[in-house]
């Protein structure tokens, strides 16, 4: 039986509130909501970060199982640690592998954690750090080399390094070209414009709203590409977010406190610290992991953290596993809205106000994510539309891990092992 195609477009940091309150800004998304099924409130995963979230979306598993527990790796000596860029970091089976095994063609455009994967047409997301500096966007080794060179040759003039909004314009042009000329069975697209604007200017800023409008236009271009290709009638579309964001104005530098306790050693004159730590915080922005090594009094560590301004909740290691977070952590600590964690030492104080003049530099934000997914008004959202999707329907609440299994159902595929998430029945026609 011939299955319909699937195009998944991730609009990074799109929340339920965007579609519920700003519908006028997104005529194309509004049309999709009318034509398809709007899954209104999607609860994210611990921590609500981009890489763990996209990996949960595509595997149907929580980070504790798929292994991508954070955006970046624990590398205390580096100001900008490596990200979980590579497919080999994913310990569960992503849907693109299942599709490929079934003989389907696959394509991905900046979909996180796909570098070195076997996706047929892949522009992998791999970059030096998260302040979107002007450096080489993708390495040839990590993507499909011939495809990358071809795309860069045709559309490279659209981008200015990895700066937004030009990066999303470049990615959209590449995806449009591929939808038209390669007509993949499964296409995954990740657009980051709005997330960048929220980090820099705030969650509900004019800049973020302008980005949302731009994204709406890009979604329309991507859909039009399938009409041009003649594949529109056989294509299901999913437009989803991975998490929302929360405005912040204060930072918590837990490692500064740990240094005072003698649990780690700062590098002189730098905000990094040495590899001989016994207790260390590893930030997820709205939350932070705390790891310990050797003989450490966990009660004492917890007591020290509990005394810090802006700490909302401390989950111990066993609780963190139940929440689907890193099984290796000693604690998972949650900040109150308005606060976020850094990994830095040698700062003026443990809790520090964000200097507005510093916004846009490394780890200086107006909005962040990475909190627990149960923060109020913090849901992400998803729209499904296409020949196998119910028309004019809504679904109230699901979990992020339910999305991959729903994609699998739409493609007629099965993950090789049971997933934490289940297909969202309210979306499927049959
Ligand atoms: Zn994100």
């Amino acid at each position: 039986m011939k299955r319909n195609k699937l195009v998944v477009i991730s609009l990074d940091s799109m929340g339920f509130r965007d579609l519920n309150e700003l519908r006028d800004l997104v005529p194309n998304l509004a049309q999709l909501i009318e034509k398809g099924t709007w899954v209104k409130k999607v609860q994210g995963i611990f921590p609500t970060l981009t890489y763990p979230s996209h990996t949960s979306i595509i595997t149907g598993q929580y980070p504790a199982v798929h292994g991508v527990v954070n955006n970046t790796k624990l590398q205390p000596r580096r100001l900008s640690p490596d990200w979980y860029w590579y497919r080999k970091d994913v310990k569960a089976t992503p849907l693109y592998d299942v599709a490929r095994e079934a003989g389907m063609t696959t394509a991905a455009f900046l979909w996180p954690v796909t570098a070195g994967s076997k996706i047929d047409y892949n522009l992998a997301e791999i970059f030096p750090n998260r302040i979107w500096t002007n450096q080489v966007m993708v390495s040839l080794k990590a993507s499909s080399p011939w495809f990358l060179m071809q795309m860069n040759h045709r559309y490279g003039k659209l981008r200015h390094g990895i700066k937004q909004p030009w990066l999303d314009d470049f990615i959209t042009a590449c995806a449009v070209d591929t939808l038209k000329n390669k007509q993949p069975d499964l296409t995954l697209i990740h657009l980051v414009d709005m997330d960048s604007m929220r980090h820099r200017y705030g969650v509900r800023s004019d800049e973020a709203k302008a980005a949302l409008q731009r994204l709406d236009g890009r979604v329309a271009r991507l859909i039009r590409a399938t009409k041009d290709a003649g594949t529109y009638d056989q294509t299901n579309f999913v437009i989803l977010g991975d998490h929302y964001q929360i405005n912040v104005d204060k930072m918590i530098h837990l490692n500064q406190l740990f240094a005072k306790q003698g649990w780690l050693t700062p590098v002189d004159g730098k905000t990094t610290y040495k590899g001989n730590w016994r207790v260390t915080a590893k930030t997820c922005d709205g939350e932070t992991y705390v790891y310990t090594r050797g003989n450490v009094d966990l009660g004492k560590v917890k007591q020290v953290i509990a005394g810090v301004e802006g700490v909302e909740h401390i989950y111990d290691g066993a609780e963190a596993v139940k929440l689907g977070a890193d099984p290796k952590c000693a604690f998972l600590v949650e900040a109150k809205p308005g606060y976020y964690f850094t990994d830095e030492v040698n700062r003026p104080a443990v809790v520090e106000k964000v200097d507005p003049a510093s916004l846009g530099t490394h780890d200086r934000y107006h909005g962040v994510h990475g909190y627990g997914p149960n923060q109020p008004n913090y849901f992400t959202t998803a729209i499904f539309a296409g020949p196998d999707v119910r028309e004019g329907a809504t679904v109230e609440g699901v979990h992020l891990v339910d999305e991959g299994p729903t994609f699998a159902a739409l493609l007629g595929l099965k993950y090789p092992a049971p997933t934490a998430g289940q297909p969202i029945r309210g979306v499927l026609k049959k």
Side-chain angles (χ1 to χ4, degrees), residues 195-398:
D195 185 66
S196 305
M197 297 304 160
R198 289 191 152 147
H199 281 305
R200 174 73 177 77
Y201 299 103
V203 185
R204 315 267 289 173
S205 60
D206 289 346
E207 290 83 353
K209 287 177 187 165
L212 181 61
Q213 286 178 297
R214 287 193 291 271
L215 289 171
D216 185 67
R218 294 185 188 112
V219 168
R221 295 213 284 282
L222 291 162
I223 293 175
R224 202 179 315 130
T226 65
K227 289 182 178 165
D228 294 345
T231 52
Y232 174 76
D233 290 337
Q234 303 97 52
T235 303
N236 293 300
F237 294 90
V238 188
I239 323 300
L240 55 80
D242 54 342
H243 52 74
Y244 193 47
Q245 283 208 19
I246 291 176
N247 280 337
V248 289
D249 60 1
K250 281 183 174 173
M251 299 173 281
I252 304 171
H253 311 299
L254 278 191
N255 283 331
Q256 173 121 339
L257 195 61
F258 297 165
K260 245 186 249 171
Q261 295 287 333
W263 293 333
L264 57 79
T265 317
V267 175
D268 274 347
K270 294 193 171 172
T271 57
T272 53
Y273 55 99
K274 294 179 182 168
N276 63 350
W277 55 269
R278 289 193 296 135
V279 180
T280 182
K282 169 66 188 165
T283 183
C284 313
D285 295 341
E287 294 186 320
T288 189
Y289 284 115
V290 173
Y291 298 96
T292 61
R293 275 199 303 220
N295 198 8
V296 174
D297 178 355
L298 291 180
K300 169 81 177 157
V301 175
K302 186 170 179 177
Q303 191 192 347
V304 163
I305 298 167
V308 177
E309 173 196 336
V311 167
E312 180 162 287
H313 199 89
I314 305 172
Y315 300 101
D316 64 27
E319 288 171 318
V321 180
K322 278 194 207 144
L323 297 172
D326 189 357
K328 294 200 192 83
C329 75
F331 300 104
L332 176 65
V333 185
E334 175 123 1
K336 288 180 181 151
Y339 292 82
Y340 71 100
F341 296 99
T342 82
D343 292 337
E344 297 169 23
V345 294
N346 288 329
R347 298 299 311 170
V350 172
V351 177
E352 186 185 359
K353 252 196 143 3
V354 179
D355 175 4
S358 71
L359 289 170
T361 63
H362 184 75
D363 258 2
R364 295 298 180 268
Y365 303 120
H366 198 316
V368 304
H369 41 102
Y371 296 91
N374 46 359
Q375 286 282 349
N377 291 320
Y378 190 53
F379 297 101
T380 183
T381 192
I383 308 165
F384 290 73
D388 300 316
V389 174
R390 285 196 195 168
E391 289 158 29
T394 54
V395 172
E396 277 306 313
V398 305

Side-chain angles (χ1 to χ4, degrees), residues 12-13 49-51 54 190 195 242-243 369:
D12 202 297
S13 97
L49 286 180
T50 300
Y51 278 36
H54 279 84
H190 177 216
D195 185 66
D242 54 342
H243 52 74
H369 41 102

Side-chain angles (χ1 to χ4, degrees), residues 4-21:
N4 287 318
K5 297 173 187 294
L6 181 66
V7 175
V8 180
I9 308 171
S10 164
L11 307 182
D12 202 297
S13 97
M14 182 170 69
F16 164 68
R17 293 190 64 185
D18 293 319
L19 295 183
N20 200 44
E21 298 166 32

